[in-house]
Amino acid sequence: MNVRLILGGIDDMHDLETANALLESGQTDEGVKVLQDILKKGDDHEQFGVASIYQQFGFLDEAEKVYDALIKRFPNESELILQLSELLIDKNEESRAINYLQRIHPLDENYLSAQVMLADLYQMEGLNEVAEHKLIAALKLSPHQHVLILALGELYLATGEASKAVDCLMEVKDDPELVGQNINLKLAEALSLSGNFEAALQEYEKGLKQEKTLDALFGYAVTAMRVHDHKKAIKALETLKNMDPGYSTLYHVLAEAYEHEGQFDQALETVEAGLEQDEYNERLYESAGRLAAKTHQNKKAVEYFKKCLERNPENMAALTQLVELYVQDEDYDTVISLLSTLEIDDPMLLWFLATAYNQTDELTKAAELYETCHRHFASNPDFLQEYGEFLREIGKMKEGLVLLEQAAKLSPENQDLAAFVERIRQDEHE
């Protein structure tokens, strides 16, 4: 559509609203031309407006040139300094922004805004103590300014000082002038970090009615998990997943919630959906393997554990669970192939390897490993029974019987073992 027909001719487009409308509608060249015309003829107020529009639409270098020209004429104009500082932050020139903000006098109406911006900048630079000092100093000048207390609470929250954050945020949470800040969500996070989970859930619920953000839904779900309210966690995380399936950290927590509810198939489906979003996530592969094994899908479990180990060969939990599956399938050769070349100090893996050597008649190697494992599993009736039977098979009858008797005492419900031990005793007395 021809812009001239709507607006009466390009030469008449000498106002900021027209330029803004053109840029919003995607007519960039026309909008920029209008702004350039205003710069040639406009007064200081209009030039400030041009710079603001440049900044709004991402023409940062052009905006900075206009701000620089204005600030030379009005070096102490705080509104101008704030705008230029925001632009410099957008350009990742934090040091220059700090220099400008430090110009604003404590008696200036924008001084408090400048201190909040400075605190944010110092925090971005990792200077948390300097940021805190700035805000506390400003509070001494204006002790009841809620915007400063809020900024201090946010700083404490970001630096992990949860209890201090709670104190600040509680003080300002009912301020109607700060309603757009959704302090309930910030307070909920602080309460959760400080271990006050029930109160955190209440604040999350208030804040989420006002605004459903991705991080807030995740925080709410994690907090619900802490008080074992898995249904709330599931509801929040399913909402989050629908809003942004790419929020990959949700899947592990959601699967855990389904697992706690006994919905193992749904938990596995959730982890598999997560892997579609993040195919390199070692933790999800481990969970997928464990859940597949739990739902008796051993072949699938083996594949997931293998993929997990491809990403991190030092994941002992995944390796142990993979080897356990091979032992269950009596695939002892694979167990030996997998473990014999590794330097293993994990007792469970050593036990599995001992079992594999025992079952493949490499008895000397099995004996060494059983002996190594013994002190770790001295109270484990299954190990004691297996080791006891092994010792008797290699001719160490008395030593084997001692272990079998210990195993029988530790598991009195095992009637077959008790009967076996009794038969051995009777045979020895005959």
Side-chain angles (χ1 to χ4, degrees):
M1 185 176 291
N2 193 325
V3 177
R4 294 175 184 270
L5 296 177
I6 301 173
L7 299 172
I10 197 72
D11 292 334
D12 296 329
M13 287 191 258
H14 296 309
D15 63 80
L16 295 168
E17 289 183 4
T18 298
N20 192 73
L22 286 167
L23 290 167
E24 281 188 341
S25 65
Q27 299 174 78
T28 304
D29 292 340
E30 293 90 337
V32 169
K33 177 65 168 60
V34 173
L35 293 175
Q36 290 171 343
D37 288 343
I38 297 172
L39 284 177
K40 292 175 184 176
K41 305 174 184 178
D43 58 21
D44 295 327
H45 178 76
E46 289 171 323
Q47 290 194 16
F48 180 79
V50 168
S52 298
I53 293 174
Y54 271 143
Q55 185 175 356
Q56 178 186 347
F57 287 95
F59 298 98
L60 301 184
D61 291 335
E62 292 83 351
E64 185 178 357
K65 288 177 184 177
V66 180
Y67 285 137
D68 283 341
L70 289 169
I71 215 161
K72 286 176 182 176
R73 298 200 290 277
F74 307 99
N76 299 315
E77 177 52 55
S78 59
E79 189 69 33
L80 181 57
I81 291 173
L82 289 176
Q83 283 290 106
L84 177 56
S85 298
E86 287 184 2
L87 181 144
L88 292 172
I89 293 169
D90 289 339
K91 293 182 71 175
N92 299 315
E93 297 183 33
E94 287 84 3
S95 296
R96 288 182 64 201
I98 288 171
N99 289 336
Y100 275 112
L101 289 167
Q102 287 174 335
R103 290 187 189 183
I104 298 178
H105 193 274
L107 297 179
D108 191 290
E109 64 179 355
N110 286 312
Y111 177 74
L112 298 183
S113 297
Q115 297 312 293
V116 172
M117 286 183 69
L118 276 170
D120 286 341
L121 286 167
Y122 285 126
Q123 185 185 339
M124 288 166 62
E125 298 278 304
L127 302 171
N128 295 325
E129 289 184 7
V130 179
E132 181 184 13
H133 174 76
K134 279 287 177 187
L135 292 172
I136 290 175
L139 270 168
K140 287 179 180 177
L141 292 174
S142 304
H144 303 296
Q145 279 289 341
H146 281 186
V147 67
L148 291 175
I149 298 170
L150 171 59
L152 191 58
E154 290 175 330
L155 174 64
Y156 288 139
L157 182 58
T159 56
E161 297 183 80
S163 60
K164 288 184 178 180
V166 169
D167 291 340
C168 292
L169 296 170
M170 286 292 288
E171 188 173 345
V172 301
K173 74 167 187 168
D174 296 321
D175 187 339
E177 294 184 5
L178 297 177
V179 65
Q181 296 291 326
N182 204 335
I183 295 173
N184 293 112
L185 292 183
K186 304 177 198 291
L187 178 57
E189 183 181 352
L191 286 166
S192 185
L193 287 172
S194 63
N196 198 339
F197 303 122
E198 294 288 357
L201 286 176
Q202 293 177 15
E203 295 298 330
Y204 270 123
E205 285 162 7
K206 292 175 187 175
L208 287 167
K209 286 179 182 177
Q210 182 180 334
E211 178 189 17
K212 282 186 171 62
T213 68
L214 303 180
D215 290 342
L217 284 165
F218 185 73
Y220 177 57
V222 169
T223 304
M225 291 289 288
R226 293 295 186 90
V227 296
H228 310 294
D229 195 336
H230 307 119
K231 288 183 171 63
K232 278 185 179 177
I234 289 169
K235 184 177 180 181
L237 291 171
E238 287 290 357
T239 300
L240 172 54
K241 185 173 69 171
N242 290 333
M243 289 172 63
D244 182 8
Y247 197 105
S248 59
T249 52
L250 77 88
Y251 292 96
H252 182 82
V253 182
L254 180 56
E256 185 181 343
Y258 277 126
E259 188 174 359
H260 278 293
E261 289 293 294
Q263 301 181 49
F264 302 121
D265 290 330
Q266 187 64 46
L268 178 57
E269 288 178 20
T270 298
V271 172
E272 290 174 332
L275 286 169
E276 291 178 9
Q277 300 296 328
D278 184 2
E279 61 180 312
Y280 301 104
N281 192 313
E282 169 198 344
R283 191 181 187 191
L284 287 178
Y285 280 111
E286 183 185 336
S287 294
R290 184 176 54 77
L291 287 163
K294 206 164 194 173
T295 54
H296 310 294
Q297 302 177 66
N298 284 8
K299 288 184 179 178
K300 181 183 279 192
V302 165
E303 292 307 310
Y304 279 132
F305 286 133
K306 282 182 177 179
K307 289 178 180 177
C308 177
L309 290 166
E310 286 173 9
R311 283 147 184 82
N312 180 13
E314 296 183 3
N315 188 323
M316 288 297 103
L319 179 61
T320 301
Q321 291 173 93
L322 175 61
V323 171
E324 185 175 7
L325 289 172
Y326 286 134
V327 171
Q328 288 174 5
D329 290 341
E330 300 183 357
D331 188 352
Y332 301 114
D333 290 332
T334 299
V335 173
I336 293 170
S337 174
L338 196 59
L339 297 182
S340 61
T341 59
L342 301 177
E343 292 185 12
I344 302 169
D345 55 11
D346 181 88
M348 197 72 225
L349 290 174
L350 292 173
W351 178 7
F352 286 141
L353 185 55
T355 301
Y357 280 136
N358 182 12
Q359 295 298 325
T360 55
D361 295 325
E362 295 190 55
L363 303 182
T364 301
K365 292 179 179 179
E368 292 175 359
L369 291 172
Y370 278 129
E371 179 60 30
T372 301
C373 291
H374 185 189
R375 64 187 180 89
H376 296 287
F377 299 111
S379 299
N380 185 311
D382 293 329
F383 174 82
L384 293 173
Q385 181 177 353
E386 181 179 325
Y387 189 19
E389 290 174 354
F390 170 78
L391 288 173
R392 290 185 63 79
E393 286 173 9
I394 62 173
K396 296 184 176 183
M397 300 297 184
K398 290 183 179 179
E399 295 94 328
L401 178 57
V402 168
L403 295 183
L404 290 171
E405 288 173 336
Q406 291 174 2
K409 287 180 181 179
L410 289 169
S411 55
E413 75 286 350
N414 189 339
Q415 296 300 315
D416 291 338
L417 177 58
F420 179 52
V421 169
E422 186 58 33
R423 282 200 305 275
I424 293 174
R425 286 175 179 154
Q426 290 175 358
D427 290 345
E428 288 185 350
H429 283 97
E430 289 179 357

